[in-house]
């Protein structure tokens, strides 16, 4: 029978551990993790995501500071603001909510975040460290996917994984992470030839393309694990993933729903990264969470 992977439940387990960790940090080290969220412009979806992050961060005890700027802000002014957050000892983690208005260069802006505070893991130094297999801050969505996979498979080594999508936010770091787990990784993208055939060879498929219901039932190897990262709004207002969930769940061994799959894990992993960087910057040990969730093969239980 197909296992519907409950991302909400796993995220809740993770958040409970994070909340306990924050109480311990406050009690033993008088430390309260601080997260700065920088928002530019009036993107409605971004506002919803930021609200979710704020609510959940406050729930676990993170001190959230939000900074809003008009979309006409000169890039130099935005960068100067990020530098002041880099210098602020009360701020341990910084995210710049994406996408940015077209007047701003995303790579230049993100690269101004001090790498040790870059809780989205998008600064080029952290991207490079992940590609080299070094200890680093891992982007939240791929980290969330890995934690979900660990709860499904005791052994990822040797499994054939197809990552569909090659963005810097999801596809590329996902592939790098799974390579570190000794999976055999293939990356597909919009120019890939014969995607259905590639899907049929995969033990695990991770779909991150932003195309509603794109991955079909007859592309899936029976028993495969399917993680659906996509978030797409249909004309009738429904939110669906990149995978045709209803039919694919008839053949997959395990599958994430949308909503309620990868999404909640992304937010929980942002909170996790904020705690990890707080501990690292202050050189204090953690009690409930490992400092490196990758190396320690840790998953919430
Ligand atoms: P993105 O930057 O637009 O990248 C999309 C990727 O998909 C690109 O690499 C593109 O290929 C590839 N692609 C597009 N159409 C394709 C097709 N027909 N066949 C094969 N590959 C195709 O998007 P993203 O930021 O990675 O996000 C992907 C989806 O995940 C979106 O729906 C987004 O909303 C969602 N998302 C969800 C979460 C979450 O927490 N659940 C987090 C982040 C993103 P090319 O490179 O060749 O153009």
């Amino acid at each position: 029978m197909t296992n519907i992977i409950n991302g909400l439940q796993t995220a809740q387990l993770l958040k409970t551990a994070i909340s306990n960790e924050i109480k311990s940090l406050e009690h033993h080290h008088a430390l309260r993790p601080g997260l700065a969220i920088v928002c530019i412009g009036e993107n409605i979806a971004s506002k919803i995501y930021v609200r979710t992050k704020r609510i959940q961060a406050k729930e676990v005890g993170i001190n959230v500071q939000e900074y809003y700027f008009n979309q006409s802000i000169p890039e130099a002014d935005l960068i100067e603001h990020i530098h002041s957050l880099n210098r602020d000892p009360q701020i341990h983690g910084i995210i710049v909510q994406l996408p940015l208005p077209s007047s701003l260069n995303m790579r230049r802006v993100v690269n101004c975040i001090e790498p040790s505070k870059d809780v989205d893991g998008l600064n080029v130094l952290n991207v490079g460290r992940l590609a080299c297999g070094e200890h680093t801050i891992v982007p939240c969505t791929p980290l969330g996917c890995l934690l979900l996979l660990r709860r499904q498979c005791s052994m990822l080594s040797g499994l054939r994984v197809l990552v569909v999508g090659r963005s810097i936010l999801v596809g590329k770091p996902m592939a790098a992470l799974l390579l570190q787990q000794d999976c055999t990784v293939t990356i597909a993208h919009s120019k890939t030839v014969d995607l259905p055939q590639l899907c049929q060879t995969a033990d695990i498929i991770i779909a991150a393309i932003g195309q509603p219901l794109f991955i079909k039932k007859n592309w899936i190897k029976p028993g495969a694990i399917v993680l659906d990262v996509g978030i797409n709004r249909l004309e009738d207002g429904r939110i669906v993933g990149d995978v045709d969930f209803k039919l694919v769940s008839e053949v997959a061994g395990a599958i994430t729903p949308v909503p309620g799959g990868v999404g909640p894990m992304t937010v929980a992993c942002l909170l996790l990264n904020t705690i990890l960087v707080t501990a690292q910057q202050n050189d204090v040990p953690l009690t409930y969470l490992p400092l490196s969730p990758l190396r320690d093969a840790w998953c919430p239980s």
Side-chain angles (χ1 to χ4, degrees), residues 14 18 62 119 143 147 267-278 286 289-290 293 298:
L14 183 52
I18 290 168
I62 291 172
V119 278
L143 180 56
L147 297 183
V267 182
C269 285
L270 172 66
L271 312 181
L272 173 61
N273 279 347
T274 305
I275 306 311
L276 299 182
V277 297
T278 304
L286 292 176
L289 299 163
W298 173 86

Side-chain angles (χ1 to χ4, degrees), residues 21-57:
E21 196 71 73
I22 291 176
K23 285 184 194 125
S24 165
L25 283 175
E26 283 191 306
H27 182 72
H28 295 292
H29 305 285
L31 259 180
R32 178 123 189 253
L35 172 67
I37 306 180
V38 178
C39 310
I40 303 103
E42 293 295 320
N43 186 306
I44 292 170
S46 291
K47 285 192 170 167
I48 296 170
Y49 291 135
V50 168
R51 182 172 175 272
T52 307
K53 290 171 186 174
R54 176 204 315 132
I55 290 172
Q56 297 202 23

Side-chain angles (χ1 to χ4, degrees), residues 34-139:
L35 172 67
I37 306 180
V38 178
C39 310
I40 303 103
E42 293 295 320
N43 186 306
I44 292 170
S46 291
K47 285 192 170 167
I48 296 170
Y49 291 135
V50 168
R51 182 172 175 272
T52 307
K53 290 171 186 174
R54 176 204 315 132
I55 290 172
Q56 297 202 23
K58 284 188 174 169
E59 265 170 22
V60 296
I62 291 172
N63 179 21
V64 183
Q65 302 288 336
E66 289 163 67
Y67 302 89
Y68 288 89
F69 298 101
N70 191 287
Q71 67 168 5
S72 61
I73 182 171
E75 193 171 293
D77 292 5
L78 177 64
I79 286 173
E80 182 43 44
H81 189 79
I82 292 171
H83 283 150
S84 74
L85 294 172
N86 288 342
R87 292 188 295 267
D88 185 341
Q90 304 303 316
I91 296 292
H92 304 96
I94 302 170
I95 59 172
V96 174
Q97 186 62 39
L98 301 176
L100 292 180
S102 57
S103 54
L104 299 168
N105 180 305
M106 180 273 209
R107 292 298 331 151
R108 267 201 306 262
V109 169
V110 166
N111 285 341
C112 290
I113 300 173
E114 156 61 37
S116 64
K117 294 189 175 188
D118 168 36
V119 278
D120 267 343
L122 295 177
N123 179 295
V124 69
L125 196 71
N126 289 322
V127 173
R129 283 177 178 153
L130 180 61
C132 295
E134 289 179 17
H135 179 72
T136 188
I137 305 171
V138 179

